[in-house]
Structures are given as structure tokens and as C-alpha cells.
Amino acid sequence: MKKLRYFALSMLAALSLAASAQTTIPNPVTLTLDIHECYVHETMTTTDETAYYYVSYLEKEIFEEKGYNDDETLASEDKKWFEEMAKGYQMDVKDVVQSFGFKGDAAEYQAGLLPDREYVIWYHGVDEKGNTTTEIKRLPFRTKPVQTISNRIKLKAQKTNDGGIFVTCEPDDKNLYYTFGSIAKSNMFDEFTHEELTIRDYMQTGISTQIYDYLANEEFGEWFKKNANQGDFSLKFDELVSGEEYYIVAAYVDNEAGICSEIATIEIDGKGNPTSINSVKNSTTIVADGVYTLDGTRVGTTLGDVQRGAYIVKFNGRTHKVVKK
């Protein structure tokens, strides 16, 4: 998934380039990262307590596509962003710099990330007009991968007389946390790049973005208490929009809020009818009969035998298309 650039306290896309002079003054800031699955914690120390500096990050692929390895291009883009922010919020550029920049030693969380993805953080001094005042430093990193578990969640669905859907979750481990909810298929795209998202990326992006406030308030454990489930759980979905198609989804999350299991799904058609349930009974081996390529070639007995990709999995006389991440 491609994500456009993020900023210190917000997720806002950069705009057009503007000319800006390069600078060679040494950067007084040292930045270190504590890297997790879907967030990082930045610690900044500086030898100049009086000057503002700016920190931002972006998925590496987009960073390179935008030409941000070039100092002049990146300085121009950052200055233009400060000016556009000031215009949009009817503020002075000075106020935007003070709001989104740092001064002195500082620390900040960046959330909204996906596991096992490459990003680049960059940081530099900035004056009250949004000009870059020091050399630009870049720090590439990769988020940690999720360690997957074999546990499963069984979903059951029934259409109610008033047009809603009553769904029951039955996790095979009643003590583990899991996420559960509905997704409108028409919303499954990146809001900045407009590319289609997989169910996993859409779910994880929502979770990763949601945890920022909990991290910033040093209350990460509260996210699980307020937003995740344990044990059997039932919920009626009664606000389905006519003509819209949905997924009802459930998956276990680990202690960093990373989705760590296969995702159980129920598909709902435009008339509010459950049309497909992709959940597995707790006692069922998901790949008992074999794994095949899309053209029908047998390539293994379990998903553990194959690399990432799309496969046909057969078990209990049924055939399922599975995308191994």
C-alpha cells in the first residue's frame, strides 16, 4: 500500500513544489527510533535549544517517487506545505511552524504505519517563514513484521426481519484480544493515492491510526479495553446502506495492535444478504486437502509450504481462494 506523506501531528498530503535554496549549515538534531509493528517512537535531541526544526515521514516508495532524495526538492516541498497550511487554516506561516515544528529536546509517536513496510523519516531546521535552515537528514527504517498465530475466529451471520445482520464471533481462545467490525467495500481505497486496499491493509491502517491518541497519552493498554474484544461476542449491524456491499471481519491482534491471524470474513451483498462466510471451525485444519496455484497446480499441503501469493485451498470438500501475506 502506498501512503502519502505524514507530519508531526497530522496526516496531510504535500502539495506542489516551489523553488527554494539549499542550505549546508550542520543539522544540530539527533533522532533515534524505537520501532514497532505499526508505530514508531521518535526521540529528538538538539545542540541548539533556540531553533525550530521539522520532522516528517513517508513510505519509502512514495518518498523516492517524489524525488525527495534531492535536498532542494524536499526543502521546496516543505516550505510550500507550511504556506498552504497557513492559507488553509488562515494562520501566519510562523504560527504553523510553531504548531508543527519542535524546539529543544522532544519526543513524538508516529502511528498509522503498516507492519513490515519501509519508510523514511527526514528532519531539518526551519525558520518562521518555513525555509529550511540546516542540512536535511534522512533516516530510512522498516517496521517490525507481525508474528502470526494459528488461532481462528468463527463467524455466524443471520439476516434479521428488519434488514439488519446479526453476527456472532466465536474465538477459539477466549483470552486473546481480537478486532471485529464492518467495512463498506466502496471505502477500501487509500484516501491519498486512491489505490485499492486489501482487507488486511484497510483494517490495519484504521487500527494503526486509531492508536495514536492512546500512545500520545501513554495509555496504550486502554485501546484494547475500549476497542478490542475477548471471548464470544454478538452484534447486530442495522445501519447497512441499500446497494452497498460489505465485509464483516474479525481477526486477532497482538500486544502491539498488529493483526496477527487470518481474517474471518462475511460478505454482505447490496440487498443485505450474507453471501459468503470465510471462517473456519476451531477443530478444522484449514488446508487439510492441499494448496494449489490459481491454474490448478498442487504446490503444498499447508499454507506454510508456499510463499506469499494467491492460492486455491481445498478442505472439507470446499474450495477457497486465499491470499497469503
Side-chain angles (χ1 to χ4, degrees), residues 28-29 46-54 97 101-105 124-128 133-134:
V29 178
T46 178
T47 57
D48 185 349
E49 299 286 335
T50 66
Y52 283 103
Y53 58 94
Y54 179 62
V97 170
F102 297 94
K103 181 184 283 189
D105 295 348
H124 55 79
V126 62
D127 65 19
E128 293 181 344
T133 58
T134 70

Side-chain angles (χ1 to χ4, degrees), residues 146-158:
V146 172
Q147 300 299 312
T148 57
I149 61 176
S150 60
N151 296 79
R152 302 288 186 266
I153 300 172
K154 182 178 180 180
L155 296 180
K156 298 178 180 178
Q158 182 177 0

Side-chain angles (χ1 to χ4, degrees), residues 297-317:
T297 303
R298 185 184 174 95
V299 290
T301 302
T302 73
L303 286 176
D305 296 335
V306 297
Q307 302 298 315
R308 295 179 179 180
Y311 299 93
I312 299 298
V313 175
K314 297 181 180 180
F315 67 98
N316 288 355

Side-chain angles (χ1 to χ4, degrees), residues 52-162:
Y52 283 103
Y53 58 94
Y54 179 62
V55 182
S56 186
Y57 75 97
L58 177 63
E59 189 166 342
K60 182 180 179 182
E61 185 177 356
I62 301 296
F63 184 90
E64 294 175 346
E65 287 180 358
K66 291 287 185 179
Y68 290 166
N69 285 316
D70 177 75
D71 284 353
E72 186 170 357
T73 298
L74 189 51
S76 299
E77 190 80 344
D78 284 348
K79 178 178 173 62
K80 186 65 175 178
W81 180 79
F82 281 115
E83 293 172 343
E84 293 290 342
M85 283 287 290
K87 180 179 178 181
Y89 282 95
Q90 298 183 341
M91 302 166 62
D92 292 332
V93 172
K94 174 182 177 180
D95 296 327
V96 176
V97 170
Q98 292 176 349
S99 296
F100 289 91
F102 297 94
K103 181 184 283 189
D105 295 348
E108 168 71 344
Y109 284 99
Q110 301 284 10
L113 308 181
L114 294 175
D116 200 21
R117 299 295 176 94
E118 290 186 292
Y119 297 87
V120 178
I121 283 181
W122 70 92
Y123 53 104
H124 55 79
V126 62
D127 65 19
E128 293 181 344
K129 294 183 180 180
N131 297 304
T132 297
T133 58
T134 70
E135 65 177 337
I136 300 174
K137 290 186 177 181
R138 300 166 178 83
L139 182 59
F141 69 95
R142 179 185 285 273
T143 49
K144 291 182 177 180
V146 172
Q147 300 299 312
T148 57
I149 61 176
S150 60
N151 296 79
R152 302 288 186 266
I153 300 172
K154 182 178 180 180
L155 296 180
K156 298 178 180 178
Q158 182 177 0
K159 188 174 183 180
T160 60
N161 292 332
D162 59 2

Side-chain angles (χ1 to χ4, degrees), residues 149-154 169-178 229-233 251-253 260-261 280-283:
I149 61 176
S150 60
N151 296 79
R152 302 288 186 266
I153 300 172
K154 182 178 180 180
C169 294
E170 297 179 359
D172 59 5
D173 189 320
K174 310 302 183 185
N175 296 313
L176 296 178
Y177 281 108
Y178 63 93
N229 300 86
Q230 288 177 296
D232 294 349
F233 182 76
Y252 287 105
V253 291
C260 62
S261 73
V280 183
K281 293 182 179 179
N282 299 340
S283 60

Side-chain angles (χ1 to χ4, degrees), residues 162-304:
D162 59 2
I165 300 291
F166 185 80
V167 180
T168 298
C169 294
E170 297 179 359
D172 59 5
D173 189 320
K174 310 302 183 185
N175 296 313
L176 296 178
Y177 281 108
Y178 63 93
T179 182
F180 169 56
S182 64
I183 302 172
K185 291 185 179 181
S186 62
N187 291 336
M188 291 178 59
F189 62 89
D190 186 286
E191 62 179 321
F192 297 126
T193 66
H194 300 291
E195 293 185 353
E196 292 185 5
L197 298 178
T198 64
I199 295 177
R200 183 175 296 271
D201 282 357
Y202 185 86
M203 290 173 65
Q204 187 66 72
T205 299
I207 293 171
S208 302
T209 303
Q210 190 180 51
I211 65 176
Y212 173 82
D213 287 340
Y214 295 91
L215 291 167
N217 293 324
E218 303 297 334
E219 297 177 342
F220 187 43
E222 292 298 311
W223 180 85
F224 295 90
K225 296 178 183 179
K226 296 179 179 179
N227 297 280
N229 300 86
Q230 288 177 296
D232 294 349
F233 182 76
S234 297
L235 182 66
K236 180 186 174 186
F237 294 89
D238 55 6
E239 296 182 358
L240 304 180
V241 176
S242 178
E244 178 69 85
E245 297 182 343
Y246 293 85
Y247 288 111
I248 307 297
V249 294
Y252 287 105
V253 291
D254 62 19
N255 60 5
E256 292 193 356
I259 296 173
C260 62
S261 73
E262 293 191 6
I263 299 170
T265 62
I266 298 173
E267 292 189 58
I268 309 298
D269 67 17
K271 297 181 180 180
N273 299 306
T275 59
S276 175
I277 300 179
N278 178 25
S279 60
V280 183
K281 293 182 179 179
N282 299 340
S283 60
T284 302
T285 302
I286 191 169
V287 286
D289 301 322
V291 181
Y292 301 78
T293 61
L294 298 184
D295 63 6
T297 303
R298 185 184 174 95
V299 290
T301 302
T302 73
L303 286 176

